[in-house]
Amino acid sequence: MPQHPFPEHAEPPPPALRVLVADDNPVIRAGLTAVLSAPDDLTVVAEAEDGRTAYEAALRHRPDVILLDVRMPGVDGMAALPHLVGLAPVMMLTYSDETALVQEAVRLGAAGYLVHGEFTTAQLTQAVRDVGAGRPHFTPTATKALLAHIRNAATAHLQEELTPPRENFSPQTPSHMQPDVRQSNQSRFQLSGREAEIMDLIATGLDNRQIAAVCFISEKTVKNHINRIFAKLHTTTRAQATAKWLGVS
């Protein structure tokens, strides 16, 4: 009796994630293609040497994820990015770790930013899966740049929202909080180092998904940390916790 390829009632495996690799260096393209073609759940459907050919290849092959270099001759990655994000999630993969570039890439719609030298082949393949599943992915240097931008924006917002009608009041936010004050708060509320870090991120306005991406942990783990933080701060909402953490409640 012939055997079926899958056990009875078992679902067949999902189709492999289709990837487009865009980089002007043929050696890097070949290396990325080899790495991303090895797992059964990933496949490279096209390569491109600049932004224009990347856009043409994306229209033709409809990939699930696009890996895009920042600096390429002709149409570079940053110029092509706004056109590509409408076709598939884009993850920047580059040697450029400049803060302004990371922030601009995210502003233009990039779903991730990986800096060469900050990840292993296993982390690269996982990053592609994450971005394909709608989860942002950033290597440490890019994370710092993104977090600095978010904190600066949140600082301006909090200063506008939390300034009370009395003189000589200057609310402190995580980006301006002195280390000894932060440590005092951490000790006062008996927060662990990770809990204090997450409380800082809550105060900057990040949601659970963004915190998970910044800290490289799951959203479930973030929720568990937040539940413990709320219990220790005797609060039930993010706004209450933020106000207590910043000393404005």
Side-chain angles (χ1 to χ4, degrees):
M1 186 175 181
Q3 292 185 345
H4 294 286
F6 305 106
E8 190 176 0
H9 304 305
E11 292 289 334
L17 209 61
R18 297 160 51 81
V19 184
L20 165 62
V21 176
D23 195 296
D24 64 301
N25 189 320
V27 176
I28 292 179
R29 284 203 312 272
L32 292 172
T33 297
V35 169
L36 296 174
S37 298
D40 293 336
D41 62 336
L42 300 177
T43 182
V44 175
V45 295
E47 298 180 16
E49 68 272 10
D50 61 25
R52 183 178 299 280
T53 54
Y55 180 71
E56 293 170 351
L59 287 175
R60 185 165 57 254
H61 295 280
R62 295 294 174 174
D64 299 306
V65 177
I66 299 171
L67 294 189
L68 184 65
D69 189 15
V70 169
R71 292 194 171 97
M72 294 181 288
V75 180
D76 67 12
M78 298 301 287
L81 180 56
H83 305 282
L84 292 172
V85 294
L87 302 176
V90 178
M91 180 164 63
M92 312 306 290
L93 183 60
T94 177
Y95 286 99
S96 302
D97 60 358
E98 298 171 30
T99 297
L101 281 176
V102 178
Q103 295 173 0
E104 181 66 4
V106 173
R107 188 186 71 81
L108 292 174
Y113 198 107
L114 273 62
V115 178
H116 284 293
E118 295 188 349
F119 56 87
T120 65
T121 55
Q123 289 169 333
L124 170 61
T125 54
Q126 186 56 50
V128 171
R129 295 185 188 101
D130 285 344
V131 169
R135 297 185 295 268
H137 202 107
F138 300 86
T139 48
T141 298
T143 298
K144 290 177 182 177
L146 178 60
L147 184 55
H149 174 68
I150 293 171
R151 281 179 168 170
N152 288 338
T155 295
H157 176 73
L158 284 170
Q159 286 176 338
E160 290 178 1
E161 294 293 325
L162 299 178
T163 301
R166 67 177 186 267
E167 298 180 354
N168 301 322
F169 180 83
S170 178
Q172 292 180 319
T173 63
S175 58
H176 290 87
M177 190 179 289
Q178 295 298 321
D180 57 340
V181 175
R182 185 184 185 280
Q183 291 171 4
S184 175
N185 270 355
Q186 181 179 338
S187 176
R188 174 190 172 195
F189 296 116
Q190 298 184 326
L191 268 58
S192 68
R194 175 62 99 180
E195 289 168 350
E197 178 185 11
I198 289 176
M199 189 58 242
D200 272 351
L201 297 175
I202 291 172
T204 64
L206 271 66
D207 60 25
N208 289 4
R209 183 176 176 180
Q210 293 169 321
I211 293 173
V214 169
C215 296
F216 295 96
I217 56 179
S218 69
E219 286 188 57
K220 181 179 180 181
T221 301
V222 172
K223 290 178 183 177
N224 291 338
H225 280 304
I226 291 176
N227 287 337
R228 288 193 291 271
I229 291 169
F230 283 1
K232 291 179 179 180
L233 269 62
H234 302 292
T235 56
T236 56
T237 68
R238 298 169 96 91
Q240 291 172 354
T242 297
K244 186 168 286 191
W245 185 246
L246 300 180
V248 296
S249 65

